[in-house]
Amino acid sequence: GSVTKLEGTDMSWQRSEENNVQEGGVTCVSLSDNRSEVIIGTSTGAVLRMMIAGLEHFSVGLSHTSEITCIAFGLESSTLFATGTYQGELRVWDITDYACLALLKVEAKAGSVSCLAMTEDGSVIRGWSDGFLRCHDATLHRQLWVVPGAHRGGVATRAFKSDSNSSLSFIAPGGMDCTVRVWRVGNRELV
């Protein structure tokens, strides 16, 4: 995660500046044509611009680092959408400028994200290859609820019916166990 600027010639080089990037390990660096900045790629899928003078940097864009397995748009003309990956990464994006608003990386034992739904308040409901249903708030910082063992063998797909009254909102995941179950979102009751 660090970038070091060296100055010198031949066998005599000195470290003149160093800066750490918080967006993951540096995987590649390329100097711009005008030699005033470098473009940096990181292990977390971030692309950064870093000025040579002062090594100040800012984000240009983000991407997933493994294959995307599912996408879900927000409800009622929302500008938000969510993506999930094979490696269990989840991102919430704003479609107006494709900015990544939130990122969540889940431990490997949960498996891959197999399906997604977004509620009216922006919460993200996910089905996982470990058979669990999980829900996080729109910032992805707080897990709201979990339904462990919703399906044996993993959740394969889902249907979602939303209502402003959460007791009338339902999610119907289909599983690798060849069943479809209907859950009330408000209290996670199996209907």
Side-chain angles (χ1 to χ4, degrees):
S2 66
V3 175
T4 303
K5 180 178 168 183
L6 303 171
E7 293 180 354
T9 60
D10 196 26
M11 298 292 288
S12 177
W13 292 91
Q14 298 295 319
R15 181 182 305 176
S16 63
E17 293 180 78
E18 187 171 75
N19 194 354
N20 289 323
V21 297
Q22 303 301 315
E23 294 86 351
V26 175
T27 57
C28 57
V29 177
S30 181
L31 186 62
S32 68
D33 285 344
N34 65 10
R35 301 185 179 279
S36 65
E37 64 184 343
V38 292
I39 303 297
I40 298 171
T42 72
S43 59
T44 62
V47 178
L48 309 170
R49 289 177 66 187
M50 180 177 279
M51 305 312 293
I52 297 292
L55 300 185
E56 294 179 68
H57 67 279
F58 56 93
S59 179
V60 174
L62 295 170
S63 65
H64 285 291
T65 56
S66 72
E67 54 269 31
I68 296 172
T69 54
C70 50
I71 298 174
F73 278 88
L75 300 173
E76 298 185 25
S77 71
S78 171
T79 62
L80 301 180
F81 70 99
T83 54
T85 71
Y86 180 77
Q87 290 184 344
E89 187 177 88
L90 183 69
R91 291 181 189 254
V92 174
W93 307 84
D94 185 336
I95 199 166
T96 57
D97 59 0
Y98 293 100
C100 181
L101 304 177
L103 165 66
L104 175 68
K105 290 186 178 187
V106 178
E107 58 192 61
K109 72 178 183 177
S112 61
V113 183
S114 52
C115 59
L116 292 170
M118 291 187 77
T119 66
E120 288 181 344
D121 67 358
S123 298
V124 182
I125 301 172
R126 296 138 14 247
W128 290 80
S129 60
D130 67 358
F132 284 43
L133 289 174
R134 294 176 174 88
C135 182
H136 270 79
D137 66 357
T139 65
L140 303 179
H141 291 148
R142 190 169 61 107
Q143 184 168 286
L144 302 175
W145 51 263
V146 175
V147 176
H151 286 280
R152 288 185 306 275
V155 178
T157 187
R158 62 92 193 122
F160 181 66
K161 159 60 172 99
S162 178
D163 192 287
S164 57
N165 178 353
S166 66
S167 67
L168 299 176
S169 294
F170 298 92
I171 189 162
M176 298 302 289
D177 54 2
C178 300
T179 62
V180 175
R181 295 186 174 100
V182 178
W183 302 86
R184 190 178 314 275
V185 172
N187 60 6
R188 273 81 55 214
E189 174 189 14
L190 178 62
V191 178

